[in-house]
Amino acid sequence: MYPLAPAAAVLLALMVGAFFLVVAGHDPITVYRVMMRSSFGSTPAVINTLVSATPLILTGLAALVCFRVRLWNIGAEGQLYVGAILASGVALWFGDRLGAPIAITVTIFAGALGGTLFVALPALARSWLGTNEIITTLLLNFVALLLMNWLIFGSRSYWRDPVGTFPQGKRIPSAAEFPRLGDTRLHLGLLVALVAVLLVWLMLTRTRFGFHMRVFGDSEKAARYVGISARRMILMAFLISGALAGVAGAIDVGGLSRRLDPNSLAIGLGYAGIIVAALSRLNPGGVVLVAILIGGVRNAGTALQALPERVPMEIAVMLEGAILIFALSSEVFIRYRIRWPWSAHRAITGSPFAAIPTGGDRA
Amino acid sequence: MTSLTDGGAVEPPALEVRGIVKRFPGTLANDDVALTVRSGQVCAILGENGAGKSTLASILSGLYQPDRGEIFRRGNPVTLRSPREALGLGIGMVHQHFRLVNRFTVAENVALGDPSQPFFMSTPKVHRSIAAIGDFYDLPIEPSAVVADLSVGEQQRVEIVKTLYRGADVLILDEPTSVLTPQETESLFATIRKMTAEGKAVIFISHKLREVREISDVVTVMRSARVVGTVPPITAVEELARLMVGRDVDMSVRRRRAPGGDRVLELSGIHVDRQSRRGGLTGVSLEVTAGEIVGVAGVAGNGQRQLAEVAAGLLLPSEGRVIVGGSDITGRGPRAARTAGLAYVPEDRRSTGLAPSLTIAENLQLTSPHRPILNRRHWHSHARSLMDEYDIRAPGPNSVTSDLSGGNIQKVLLARELSTNPLAIVSASPTQGLDVGAIASVRKLLFEHCARGSGVLLITEDLEEIMELSDRVVVLYEGRIVHEGPTSETDVTEVGLAMAGAMRVS
């Protein structure tokens, strides 16, 4: 109903970014032009943006599935790590025993399984004990991060490359490596992500489960009335969400790093997924567009450092944050009318009547 | 259109408004409203839901600011920017939904927001004031009682005491009797008479004709945001109804009593354990036969909700059985209850009976059994035919349900629940908050299904509705059935006493 709100949020974020750029002594127009060029200005730039967007589509979907039923899974980050750990572990364990298509499929499903298993703990705690999922999923992110770092940097684990002094993950067998487009870095993962978008969309619109999910997300009381089990719904939403985040981990292993690589994984993909879901207004199709936008912004960060005046790449991180803040606050502006205390006579109050989102305006 | 019953008063009115206009997005709530309230009088504002009564009350109590219009207090123009300012000018409001802090004591609630209280509250002084006010106006209340432990009637007393304590001499009572038993209503009226005898002015907002005629000195009738007349209370009921609704109203909806048939719903020995804040049920047994309407009366919170949910399979009783049309559905959940032939029209239609942001078509399919992959092809046409049959006025089957009016929302719910031709219908407050037209069509629907052989369990606080519609009356008090009998042999006073717990059976 308000497709302009996310666009306005992006625009406002760019203005805030411009302010800080000016303060730091840079010309915002130049910086934004460089960013635009380095993320969307040429075929290689677009390809790199798509590569960055691929995991964001999956983590965005992961957040979306939970947000649709008003569960706040902040743990896609950790579920992604564990997905990557399991995916790389399984790929390494099978070695060359499997043919390429099967090895790739197994890797992807191992990632989904890893994410699912890791989210199961907070999911069960939430559905059976009512434990606040924001806290549990958030804290478990650090558990997963430390586990992954320990596997590669802190131990001589199965995942670590035994040769070489520099600690890094063992390379997965070539059968499990995702095919790439020509000699670019664009890999099969994008296709996997798009299929996931389609599946989530079909689930929400065409299945009984998705229908019940929408009812539950809309009103828990109505869901209880219908006979939908809240416990089952909460559990399922979490497990699907975790699986999607886990796949995001698996495609990094199979498509980009070809090993368990903390440096490639721990770049806040799970957290960025929250931004993607929020900006998409919980619309699976929107997730793709927003992921490409955010992927572009993130990509541009690196290019900025190459500028002669050395613009800090943190500007990209800041833009991402600003976009989220504006996107979330635009929801408030859509639902409520601001009442200024000094003009009490003209303004509408936050009354129950005024809060009804009619879309119509006061004459 | 201000009429004076005491003829040519010299003293300026306690409160007067002229030309009040208030607009909300999409609706005009008050349109050129004028009202005069004199000291020592009860001025009733009569009107249907949505006529603009509550908006006017909110303007008078400083909660809303009018877009246009003037307010005069004893002849002086004033602006009321907040409830606090209004109270400062002696105008206090008792809301329909109380504004009390449940965990606080009566005294704490009364003193809350009193600007004259020092930083450290002087409890004994507040206690003494409450006792004095209570004695004078017949509003007995224990100052140290915790509000959560009080009955609804007592909580209302706290609200009134709070307003009097703050020195109000214009009191606005918004639908004060909607939560009271007949006896509690009587004692409220006694208090109101004391207050007017003291020279206070009372604005009594209601849609109940009889009460308005009984208590008020002058009646202002509102319809669709406008004042349509100011009349003396001796005006005939039919005339008041005509003013209120804007056309002649047949006040006598009756039906032919269907002869007793098979048992369609049977509850036997139902126990539900009392949970914190939610009442339980103790040994409740009742049965509904085909073609019969059984009314369950009681003050809210005496187990009605639990009774409805047990019957609908939503709440598992710790003891007892629920039988719908011969099949035992105890503990088998709402879907089993539905399959056995039970329809449940919950009181909260907006977000329990329906999923508010889903479309009409989707809501009509909410309770149907679906295969794992939905076949949505017939949803649209199914919705169209039900919308025709049940006269649901909406742009189309894909309209979002929460955008509809209250009456149409209820019709969507009834269409879904009744179109399956259920054996038994459990209906909680089916006409609450609806306008007269919608009330008539809801009642007609229930009658039609009764005539076709459904049995209805009608659970409502609206005693009048129960007396008018049901064949038998059952009264719930603290989770027990304390009175039961055919409506024709039942007296309203009797039911009122039972509702208040005076006829408790051991």
Side-chain angles (χ1 to χ4, degrees):
Chain A
M1 228 196 313
Y2 298 90
L4 285 180
V10 172
L11 212 66
L12 282 167
L14 288 175
M15 282 162 68
V16 169
F19 171 77
F20 284 103
L21 283 169
V22 170
V23 168
H26 302 289
D27 174 20
I29 306 287
T30 317
V31 171
Y32 287 153
R33 195 177 289 147
V34 170
M35 287 180 72
M36 196 65 196
R37 203 179 328 121
S38 53
S39 22
F40 301 104
S42 62
T43 314
V46 169
I47 284 179
N48 273 334
T49 294
L50 289 177
V51 170
S52 302
T54 302
L56 294 176
I57 294 175
L58 287 161
T59 53
L61 282 180
L64 176 143
V65 168
C66 271
F67 290 179
R68 273 286 184 116
V69 290
R70 293 190 236 184
L71 287 172
W72 314 111
N73 178 11
I74 313 296
E77 190 75 24
Q79 291 140 28
L80 178 145
Y81 301 157
V82 176
I85 292 171
L86 208 66
S88 52
V90 166
L92 288 170
W93 187 77
F94 275 115
D96 292 323
R97 277 174 285 169
L98 296 175
I102 297 175
I104 290 169
T105 314
V106 166
T107 306
I108 292 171
F109 276 94
L113 183 68
T116 310
L117 288 176
F118 197 61
V119 83
L121 186 68
L124 286 168
R126 171 67 171 79
S127 62
W128 286 85
L129 307 170
T131 315
N132 185 320
E133 76 277 11
I134 299 179
I135 294 169
T136 51
T137 54
L138 179 67
L139 292 182
L140 281 170
N141 287 342
F142 299 100
V143 174
L145 178 64
L146 291 170
L147 173 68
M148 178 172 71
N149 283 340
W150 177 76
L151 288 176
I152 298 302
F153 303 118
S155 66
R156 295 258 160 218
S157 74
Y158 184 67
W159 281 263
R160 178 156 162 181
D161 195 347
V163 291
T165 43
F166 184 73
Q168 63 168 357
K170 203 189 292 173
R171 192 170 167 113
I172 58 168
S174 55
E177 290 178 5
F178 291 7
R180 289 181 173 179
L181 181 72
D183 51 3
T184 67
R185 293 167 66 233
L186 194 63
H187 55 87
L188 182 73
L190 181 62
L191 212 62
V192 173
L194 292 177
V195 169
V197 169
L198 187 70
L199 288 178
V200 168
W201 180 76
L202 284 174
M203 177 188 82
L204 286 171
T205 56
R206 295 283 188 274
T207 68
R208 178 177 65 198
F209 175 75
F211 185 44
H212 286 176
M213 202 168 167
R214 289 173 53 220
V215 173
F216 184 78
D218 190 28
S219 162
E220 283 191 36
K221 286 184 285 180
R224 174 171 174 264
Y225 169 90
V226 173
I228 298 167
S229 154
R231 247 175 213 160
R232 184 166 166 264
M233 195 50 77
I234 290 170
L235 205 60
M236 288 305 292
F238 265 122
L239 296 184
I240 294 170
S241 175
L244 288 162
V247 171
I251 61 161
D252 180 88
V253 169
L256 279 183
S257 314
R258 271 117 197 235
R259 51 170 58 91
L260 181 63
D261 181 3
N263 294 324
S264 171
L265 288 163
I267 54 170
L269 293 168
Y271 299 118
I274 296 169
I275 303 179
V276 173
L279 270 183
S280 78
R281 307 188 59 99
L282 306 189
N283 177 339
V287 161
V288 179
L289 296 178
V290 178
I292 292 172
L293 173 80
I294 301 285
V297 171
R298 296 187 135 218
N299 238 10
T302 347
L304 285 180
Q305 284 190 309
L307 278 183
E309 64 256 48
R310 297 191 58 80
V311 176
M313 76 177 294
E314 278 73 18
I315 187 76
V317 181
M318 197 199 67
L319 278 177
E320 226 179 280
I323 292 173
L324 177 67
I325 289 173
F326 283 112
L328 294 184
S329 43
S330 71
E331 299 288 317
V332 177
F333 288 99
I334 288 168
R335 296 214 173 108
Y336 298 97
R337 173 184 292 269
I338 304 291
R339 169 182 167 167
W340 306 105
W342 55 86
S343 62
H345 284 277
R346 291 182 49 243
I348 283 282
T349 64
S351 77
F353 306 104
I356 297 167
T358 52
D361 204 2
R362 206 160 68 107
Chain B
M1 216 177 148
T2 38
S3 88
L4 310 175
T5 44
D6 55 351
V10 188
E11 190 198 340
L15 190 65
E16 187 180 4
V17 295
R18 284 187 215 142
I20 293 285
V21 176
K22 180 69 183 175
R23 215 182 278 274
F24 291 113
T27 47
L28 185 58
N30 274 185
D31 184 10
D32 196 21
V33 169
L35 179 75
T36 306
V37 187
R38 298 193 172 274
S39 298
Q41 285 197 347
V42 178
C43 167
I45 303 178
L46 181 70
E48 289 203 283
N49 289 297
K53 295 169 299 184
S54 288
T55 303
L56 179 61
S58 297
I59 288 171
L60 294 179
S61 63
L63 206 57
Y64 298 159
Q65 278 66 47
D67 297 337
R68 243 185 292 142
E70 297 162 298
I71 304 174
F72 299 91
R73 178 84 169 105
R74 296 204 190 90
N76 303 314
V78 289
T79 42
L80 309 170
R81 274 182 292 260
S82 69
R84 186 179 278 244
E85 270 192 34
L87 253 178
L89 290 164
I91 306 166
M93 172 141 169
V94 174
H95 290 270
Q96 189 177 1
H97 304 286
F98 306 141
R99 314 267 158 114
L100 297 171
V101 185
N102 276 328
R103 287 160 190 254
F104 280 17
T105 65
V106 170
E108 284 165 343
N109 267 290
V110 168
L112 188 67
D114 175 4
S116 71
Q117 279 289 327
F119 185 74
F120 292 103
M121 209 172 91
S122 155
T123 316
K125 232 168 89 184
V126 180
H127 278 228
R128 277 199 301 278
S129 311
I130 293 174
I133 294 170
D135 278 352
F136 194 86
Y137 292 103
D138 282 338
L139 291 163
I141 203 86
E142 171 55 45
S144 55
V146 175
V147 163
D149 299 336
L150 300 179
S151 75
V152 180
E154 288 170 322
Q155 292 189 12
Q156 187 181 62
R157 262 182 248 157
V158 178
E159 280 281 13
I160 296 175
V161 168
K162 192 169 95 181
T163 315
L164 291 170
Y165 171 87
R166 299 285 294 277
D169 61 3
V170 177
L171 281 98
I172 307 167
L173 309 177
D174 190 5
E175 300 273 0
T177 61
S178 61
V179 292
L180 302 181
T181 65
Q183 283 78 11
E184 284 174 325
T185 302
E186 268 317 304
S187 71
L188 171 71
F189 283 1
T191 301
I192 291 178
R193 289 194 187 98
K194 274 246 167 88
M195 293 196 289
T196 49
E198 273 299 292
K200 294 191 186 296
V202 174
I203 300 174
F204 183 89
I205 298 169
S206 180
H207 66 271
K208 294 185 182 169
L209 302 170
R210 264 156 242 175
E211 287 174 359
V212 162
R213 292 180 79 227
E214 185 183 338
I215 190 69
S216 56
D217 297 295
V218 55
V219 184
T220 295
V221 187
M222 287 187 75
R223 188 200 327 143
S224 351
R226 305 184 68 103
V227 169
V228 290
T230 298
V231 294
I234 48 162
T235 312
V237 173
E238 289 72 19
E239 172 64 12
L240 283 177
R242 198 189 54 74
L243 270 175
M244 188 163 101
V245 183
R247 56 186 157 77
D248 286 319
V249 185
D250 182 10
M251 304 286 285
S252 58
V253 207
R254 275 317 305 168
R255 69 191 174 105
R256 261 213 319 267
R257 170 85 179 81
D262 300 333
R263 263 181 237 159
V264 290
L265 173 65
E266 194 180 344
L267 303 176
S268 58
I270 300 290
H271 278 268
V272 172
D273 293 330
R274 207 187 153 83
Q275 286 175 349
S276 57
R277 294 288 147 79
R278 297 184 67 192
L281 293 172
T282 314
V284 169
S285 298
L286 58 80
E287 54 179 66
V288 182
T289 56
E292 182 187 39
I293 299 182
V294 175
V296 178
V299 177
N302 276 287
Q304 291 97 323
R305 166 94 165 276
Q306 285 70 24
L307 182 70
E309 292 202 341
V310 165
L314 287 167
L315 190 62
L316 179 66
S318 52
E319 271 176 55
R321 311 233 65 87
V322 183
I323 293 153
V324 175
S327 53
D328 190 334
I329 57 141
T330 320
R332 292 178 46 215
R335 289 182 195 169
R338 234 168 259 137
T339 315
L342 186 117
Y344 176 34
V345 182
E347 180 175 0
D348 170 24
R349 43 186 170 260
R350 276 169 197 275
S351 59
T352 300
L354 302 167
S357 55
L358 266 51
T359 65
I360 296 177
E362 287 170 332
N363 266 308
L364 289 171
Q365 296 290 338
L366 211 56
T367 54
S368 333
H370 294 293
R371 277 177 294 172
I373 305 294
L374 297 176
N375 174 13
R376 300 180 66 134
R377 214 164 302 150
H378 66 284
W379 285 20
H380 201 84
S381 53
H382 177 249
R384 275 231 175 281
S385 66
L386 282 185
M387 286 172 72
D388 285 345
E389 192 183 335
Y390 287 85
D391 189 30
I392 299 164
R393 306 217 181 125
N398 290 331
S399 305
V400 171
T401 314
S402 59
D403 289 345
L404 307 182
S405 71
N408 281 307
I409 286 178
Q410 182 70 325
K411 282 188 220 164
V412 173
L413 178 54
L414 286 169
R416 190 189 67 214
E417 291 301 305
L418 302 184
S419 59
T420 56
N421 284 318
L423 286 173
I425 302 163
V426 175
S427 178
S429 306
T431 61
Q432 192 186 47
L434 302 185
D435 62 48
V436 169
I439 289 175
S441 51
V442 167
R443 290 183 176 178
K444 206 173 120 228
L445 278 174
L446 289 179
F447 288 157
E448 278 171 14
H449 279 82
C450 247
R452 277 193 243 159
S454 301
V456 179
L457 188 66
L458 174 72
I459 303 172
T460 170
E461 284 173 72
D462 187 341
L463 198 47
E464 266 177 50
E465 180 155 272
I466 285 192
M467 299 307 282
E468 278 172 40
L469 302 193
S470 49
D471 304 303
R472 277 194 300 127
V473 192
V474 162
V475 180
L476 267 185
Y477 176 73
E478 292 193 341
R480 292 168 192 273
I481 291 181
V482 292
H483 179 88
E484 192 171 3
T487 314
S488 51
E489 296 164 23
T490 306
D491 176 49
V492 188
T493 325
E494 216 178 318
V495 175
L497 283 171
M499 281 165 69
M503 290 180 38
R504 185 160 194 173
V505 289
S506 50

